[in-house]
Amino acid sequence: MTMKRIAAAALGIGLALAPAAAYSADQVTIGFTAALSGDFAAFGLNMRKGLDLAVDALNKKGGATYKIDAVDDRGEAREGVLIAQRFCSDSNVDVVMGYSFSSIALAAIPVFNDCKLPVFASAVTSPALSNVSPYFRRNVLTDAVQGAMMGTYAAKTLGLSNIYVLNQQDDYGIGVAKSFSDAATKAGAKVLGSESYLLGAKDFRTLLTKVRAAQPDAIFIGGFYTEAAKIAEQARALGIKAQLLSTDGALNVELMKLGRGAVEGMIVYGMFDPSVSTPATAAFLTTYREKYKEDPSAWAALGYDAGITLGAAVDLAAKDGPVTRESLNAAFAKLKDVPGVTGPTTFDPSGDRAGALYFLTVSGGKFSLAPKQP
């Protein structure tokens, strides 16, 4: 960790440094890992864009300087463990950020525990990661929270009463579908049936034939944009006109590219939407659009907020001396209401964060705020 060594050396030879200057010439290295290639690269690439923008802002601010050491985990748990071992053994890495898949984060956590390296994730939502480690935190809401919010929204706000549930057969899909079903049922809706599918599946016509026979007024798809787009196309081809609902896993511009007109009207949820401009988001939207010539996604917004939150933690840790992995981890726990474009960030002891959702609909080939909000 370059920053600590420089600070320690400076103090050791008796240089008169003001407290704020103790880290002013130091460098914070962010180990960033996510799926950056393959079918699900969009989550990781968008997080990286947001984080890059935050790093640009932090470096312009002065004080510590920040750089990113990015590694593609390709969506494979085995790669995740190897990457964790690499980051742990590199004393220049101060914090690890990113992560597209909960299973990969879960596999890597024991490695990070051993080297006491703080992890700050932005796209992993499994409830199994709550309380998993004193070194793990995230700024995205859990599947349990988001699925329950969507279930209540579907039944109470949209007034949907007969819903069929489809979900991908993994921790993410099973967890979010259960939370959705429990909340929708509690709010007065009836779940007519549920079916699961494998990630990467392309033909859903057998499942959808069962769905059509049940005549639901809505279908909830607990999965990613790749399968959600295919389900929408094949459902419409079979004459199913039910309202389509999905998750933050479908909140990606690739959904419209893959599903085209079939995904029009689909409702999803997320912690950010560029159509909702507030004083807190205006500067972010302007800077992001100038740099990338596109609107930021919710994952880009979460990546940006993660970077800004890291900056606040480094500033806090530096007040008490050289920043170390341990002091940075302690600083994360002390942060309170760090402003961000997805709302303020405060971590609870489980490593999770409270927050709110926007409900969005596909309209005219892009996401916009759904007409009905809770």
Side-chain angles (χ1 to χ4, degrees):
M1 288 173 280
T2 307
M3 56 184 300
K4 299 70 161 187
R5 290 174 181 157
I6 293 174
L11 292 170
I13 60 177
L15 294 179
L17 297 178
Y23 67 98
S24 63
D26 295 330
Q27 180 170 282
V28 175
T29 298
I30 302 165
F32 180 86
T33 183
L36 300 174
S37 61
D39 289 344
F40 305 103
F43 301 121
L45 293 173
N46 278 286
M47 274 191 290
R48 174 66 195 270
K49 287 179 178 177
L51 181 59
D52 280 348
L53 207 63
V55 165
D56 290 346
L58 292 171
N59 285 335
K60 288 177 182 175
K61 185 187 75 170
T65 59
Y66 295 77
K67 77 168 188 176
I68 299 173
D69 179 3
V71 185
D72 181 6
D73 66 27
R74 299 185 294 176
E76 298 178 7
R78 186 178 65 87
E79 288 293 322
V81 172
L82 294 174
I83 292 166
Q85 291 169 341
R86 182 198 140 181
F87 284 151
C88 272
S89 63
D90 184 348
S91 61
N92 289 312
V93 175
D94 302 289
V95 61
V96 175
M97 304 179 79
Y99 281 108
S100 305
F101 293 99
S102 296
S103 58
I104 296 177
L106 284 164
I109 289 299
V111 180
F112 292 127
N113 283 343
D114 288 344
C115 67
K116 299 180 178 179
L117 181 56
V119 179
F120 184 6
S122 293
V124 288
T125 53
S126 171
L129 285 162
S130 300
N131 290 305
V132 72
S133 165
Y135 296 95
F136 177 83
R137 293 175 182 83
R138 55 184 161 183
N139 64 350
V140 63
L141 302 180
T142 70
D143 300 336
V145 171
Q146 297 189 71
M149 286 181 174
M150 184 53 143
T152 302
Y153 170 78
K156 285 192 173 180
T157 305
L158 298 181
L160 299 167
S161 55
N162 294 295
I163 305 172
Y164 210 102
V165 175
L166 302 176
N167 66 273
Q168 61 190 42
Q169 186 66 35
D170 62 7
D171 290 345
Y172 173 72
I174 294 169
V176 76
K178 182 179 187 308
S179 299
F180 171 88
S181 298
D182 289 348
T185 301
K186 185 177 180 181
K190 183 178 181 181
V191 175
L192 301 178
S194 62
E195 301 285 344
S196 61
Y197 56 84
L198 295 176
L199 196 61
K202 300 184 185 305
D203 188 346
F204 300 91
R205 286 172 292 186
T206 300
L207 295 182
L208 288 169
T209 298
K210 294 181 182 178
V211 173
R212 184 174 59 182
Q215 298 183 320
D217 52 13
I219 302 171
F220 175 72
I221 306 167
F224 296 154
Y225 59 88
T226 40
E227 287 73 28
K230 291 183 175 66
I231 289 171
E233 277 195 319
Q234 293 169 27
R236 297 310 187 216
L238 287 170
I240 299 173
K241 298 180 179 178
Q243 170 67 55
L244 298 177
L245 309 170
S246 194
T247 68
D248 58 341
L251 180 56
N252 196 292
V253 294
E254 295 297 318
L255 176 75
M256 285 75 85
K257 294 178 182 175
L258 295 170
R260 299 181 289 273
V263 298
E264 278 288 305
M266 181 184 288
I267 295 177
V268 301
Y269 55 75
M271 295 179 68
F272 173 85
D273 182 65
S275 67
V276 184
S277 181
T278 67
T281 63
F284 167 69
L285 286 168
T286 299
T287 308
Y288 193 96
R289 286 165 174 159
E290 287 177 350
K291 181 167 184 173
Y292 299 113
K293 313 303 179 190
E294 63 184 22
D295 281 340
S297 69
W299 307 112
L302 286 165
Y304 176 81
D305 278 358
I308 297 301
T309 303
L310 169 62
V314 169
D315 288 348
L316 183 59
K319 290 181 179 177
D320 296 325
V323 179
T324 66
R325 291 177 176 178
E326 282 285 12
S327 70
L328 185 55
N329 190 58
F332 275 125
K334 296 175 184 174
L335 293 177
K336 184 173 178 57
D337 294 334
V338 179
V341 297
T342 63
T345 295
T346 302
F347 299 108
D348 63 30
S350 70
D352 294 331
R353 164 208 177 182
L357 291 180
Y358 291 115
F359 292 92
L360 311 165
T361 187
V362 180
S363 177
K366 62 181 182 180
F367 292 112
S368 61
L369 202 61
K372 294 183 179 179
Q373 296 292 313

